[in-house]
C-alpha cells in the first residue's frame, strides 16, 4: 500500500480503502460472497468520521464518491513494479442494491493470510510462525453493521426502555435492522430520540396506544418519517415564554417621584 498510488492521495482515500477491506466478508454469508461488503454512502461517511478536539468532522458525499471513483478505476499496483502490467484493472467493483451498494474487493485473497506474502533472501522466522488470522464468526447482528451503529443502537434502545419502562433487547435482528436503516439514511441520534419523546408524550399511559411504544412501530421507515416531522412541527410551534419588561430600581424611583409630585401639585403639572 505504501508503494501504491493511493498512498499519495489525501488521508480519506486510504481510510475508506481500509474500512472496505476490514468490512468485507471472509467467507460467503447471507448473499454476500467472500471479499464483498454491503454498505452505503451514509455508512461510509459515519465510519470514516474523525475528531478535531471535541468537534466531529465527517467527509461529504461528494468526497466519498470521489474516493469510490478512484478505487473503481485504479489498480493496487506498486509504481516500483511496472512489470506487473495492467492485469489488475481496479481495486473494487460496485453494484447497486436496495438502499445500499455491494462493494467487491478485487483480488481479495491477496490481502489475506501469509501464503501470498513475499519473503526476502535472508528469510524471516517470525513471519512464518505467526498464527493465521482468525475468521470472523457471524452473530445475530449482521457483520456489516459498523461499530458506531452498534453503540448507537444500544443507546437508543436503552433510551426507549428508560422512557417506557420496557426491556427491549438491542441485539434483536429486526431492531438492529430498523435503527441501522434510519442511521444509514442520514438520521441522527437526536432524530431517533425526538421520535421516542414525541410518541412517549402522546401514547404513554394510553391503554390503546401504549403497546406501540416499541422499535418495530417507531422506527419503520414510513412511521419514523411521520413521527419525526410531527416532532419538528411541534418544536417550531412551541414559542418561548414572553419576557415582560422589568424596570430597574432607578427607574422605579423616578416613577415614584413623578407620581408623588403629581399628587402634591395636582394633575396640571
Amino acid at each position: 500500500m505504501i508503494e501504491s498510488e493511493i498512498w499519495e492521495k489525501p488521508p480519506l482515500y486510504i481510510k475508506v480503502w481500509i474500512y472496505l477491506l476490514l468490512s468485507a466478508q471472509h467467507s460467503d454469508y447471507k448473499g454476500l460472497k467472500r471479499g464483498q461488503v454491503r454498505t452505503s454512502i451514509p455508512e461510509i461517511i459515519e465510519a470514516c468520521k474523525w475528531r478535531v478536539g471535541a468537534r466531529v468532522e465527517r467527509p461529504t458525499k461528494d468526497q466519498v464518491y470521489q474516493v469510490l471513483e478512484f478505487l473503481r478505476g485504479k489498480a493496487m499496483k506498486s509504481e516500483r513494479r511496472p512489470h506487473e502490467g495492467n492485469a489488475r484493472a481496479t481495486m473494487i467493483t460496485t453494484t447497486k442494491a436496495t438502499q445500499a451498494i455491494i462493494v467487491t474487493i478485487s483480488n481479495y485473497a491477496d490481502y489475506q493470510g501469509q501464503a501470498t506474502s513475499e519473503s526476502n533472501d535472508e528469510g524471516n522466522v517470525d513471519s512464518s510462525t505467526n498464527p493465521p488470522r482468525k475468521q470472523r464468526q457471524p452473530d445475530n447482528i449482521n457483520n456489516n453493521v459498523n461499530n458506531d451503529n452498534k453503540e448507537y443502537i444500544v443507546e437508543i434502545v436503552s433510551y426507549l426502555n428508560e422512557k417506557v419502562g420496557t426491556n427491549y433487547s438491542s441485539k434483536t435482528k429486526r431492531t438492529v435492522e430498523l435503527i441501522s436503516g434510519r442511521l444509514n439514511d442520514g438520521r441522527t441520534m437526536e432524530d431517533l430520540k425526538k421520535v421516542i419523546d414525541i410518541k412517549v408524550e402522546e401514547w404513554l399511559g394510553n391503554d390503546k396506544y401504549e403497546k406501540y411504544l416499541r422499535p418495530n412501530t417507531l422506527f419503520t421507515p414510513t412511521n419514523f418519517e411521520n413521527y419525526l416531522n410531527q416532532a419538528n412541527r411541534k418544536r417550531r410551534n412551541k414559542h418561548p415564554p414572553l419576557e415582560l419588561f422589568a424596570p430597574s430600581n432607578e427607574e422605579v424611583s423616578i416613577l415614584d417621584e413623578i407620581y408623588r409630585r403629581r399628587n402634591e401639585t395636582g394633575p396640571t403639572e
Side-chain angles (χ1 to χ4, degrees), residues 101-163:
I101 55 175
I102 306 297
V103 177
T104 302
I105 307 296
S106 303
N107 301 291
Y108 177 75
D110 291 351
Y111 307 102
Q112 308 303 315
Q114 301 192 15
T116 58
S117 61
E118 297 180 357
S119 59
N120 56 31
D121 293 338
E122 296 178 359
N124 189 324
V125 176
D126 291 337
S127 64
S128 64
T129 57
N130 284 338
R133 180 180 174 186
K134 291 184 179 180
Q135 180 170 321
R136 291 185 301 172
Q137 296 297 322
D139 54 21
N140 60 334
I141 295 181
N142 189 290
N143 283 343
N144 296 303
V145 177
N146 63 45
N147 288 332
D148 283 340
N149 276 5
K150 289 179 182 179
E151 293 176 4
Y152 294 158
I153 292 166
V154 171
E155 183 171 341
I156 287 297
V157 174
S158 297
Y159 186 80
L160 175 61
N161 286 334
E162 181 181 348
K163 289 282 185 177

Side-chain angles (χ1 to χ4, degrees), residues 226-244:
N226 291 334
Y227 299 157
L228 181 59
N229 280 296
Q230 177 188 358
N232 289 334
R233 285 195 302 270
K234 183 171 183 179
R235 177 170 292 188
R236 286 195 300 269
N237 295 332
K238 190 174 182 180
H239 299 293
L242 179 65
E243 293 184 2
L244 298 176

Side-chain angles (χ1 to χ4, degrees), residues 1-265:
M1 289 187 190
I2 294 176
E3 296 176 353
S4 70
E5 186 175 347
I6 196 173
W7 200 259
E8 298 176 356
K9 304 294 286 183
L12 180 63
Y13 284 68
I14 195 72
K15 192 167 187 176
V16 172
W17 172 236
I18 291 174
Y19 165 72
L20 294 174
L21 279 178
L22 297 180
S23 301
Q25 292 296 138
H26 290 186
S27 60
D28 295 359
Y29 179 68
K30 286 191 175 181
L32 293 175
K33 299 293 185 182
R34 173 175 165 84
Q36 289 186 327
V37 54
R38 181 186 180 92
T39 187
S40 64
I41 298 298
E43 185 172 334
I44 295 173
I45 289 173
E46 281 300 308
C48 296
K49 65 187 178 184
W50 65 93
R51 288 190 176 274
V52 179
R55 188 175 75 254
V56 176
E57 297 284 348
R58 291 176 173 82
T60 65
K61 288 184 179 180
D62 288 341
Q63 288 173 327
V64 172
Y65 276 123
Q66 289 175 5
V67 175
L68 294 179
E69 282 297 304
F70 172 84
L71 296 175
R72 277 192 285 255
K74 296 293 182 180
M76 177 57 77
K77 181 181 66 177
S78 169
E79 294 179 349
R80 302 179 190 179
R81 293 177 174 178
H83 62 277
E84 288 186 357
N86 293 319
R88 291 180 286 181
T90 60
M91 296 168 70
I92 65 169
T93 57
T94 59
T95 55
K96 291 183 179 180
T98 304
Q99 296 183 338
I101 55 175
I102 306 297
V103 177
T104 302
I105 307 296
S106 303
N107 301 291
Y108 177 75
D110 291 351
Y111 307 102
Q112 308 303 315
Q114 301 192 15
T116 58
S117 61
E118 297 180 357
S119 59
N120 56 31
D121 293 338
E122 296 178 359
N124 189 324
V125 176
D126 291 337
S127 64
S128 64
T129 57
N130 284 338
R133 180 180 174 186
K134 291 184 179 180
Q135 180 170 321
R136 291 185 301 172
Q137 296 297 322
D139 54 21
N140 60 334
I141 295 181
N142 189 290
N143 283 343
N144 296 303
V145 177
N146 63 45
N147 288 332
D148 283 340
N149 276 5
K150 289 179 182 179
E151 293 176 4
Y152 294 158
I153 292 166
V154 171
E155 183 171 341
I156 287 297
V157 174
S158 297
Y159 186 80
L160 175 61
N161 286 334
E162 181 181 348
K163 289 282 185 177
V164 184
T166 49
N167 191 30
Y168 290 109
S169 172
S170 60
K171 295 184 179 180
T172 303
K173 180 180 178 181
R174 181 59 176 161
T175 298
V176 170
E177 289 175 349
L178 286 171
I179 298 179
S180 292
R182 305 298 71 74
L183 294 171
N184 292 341
D185 289 342
R187 297 304 183 181
T188 65
M189 287 276 292
E190 182 184 8
D191 291 334
L192 273 73
K193 289 182 178 180
K194 278 184 191 176
V195 166
I196 293 172
D197 289 340
I198 191 70
K199 302 320 288 184
V200 165
E201 181 180 342
E202 184 177 349
W203 290 344
L204 191 62
N206 186 313
D207 293 337
K208 183 177 179 180
Y209 292 105
E210 187 173 299
K211 61 185 177 182
Y212 296 116
L213 291 170
R214 59 191 181 189
N216 198 40
T217 299
L218 298 175
F219 304 129
T220 54
T222 302
N223 288 351
F224 180 84
E225 290 300 313
N226 291 334
Y227 299 157
L228 181 59
N229 280 296
Q230 177 188 358
N232 289 334
R233 285 195 302 270
K234 183 171 183 179
R235 177 170 292 188
R236 286 195 300 269
N237 295 332
K238 190 174 182 180
H239 299 293
L242 179 65
E243 293 184 2
L244 298 176
F245 169 72
S248 65
N249 291 335
E250 182 180 358
E251 290 168 331
V252 170
S253 298
I254 293 173
L255 290 172
D256 286 343
E257 180 65 18
I258 291 174
Y259 285 122
R260 186 185 63 78
R261 290 182 180 180
R262 184 181 181 87
N263 291 332
E264 289 178 352
T265 60

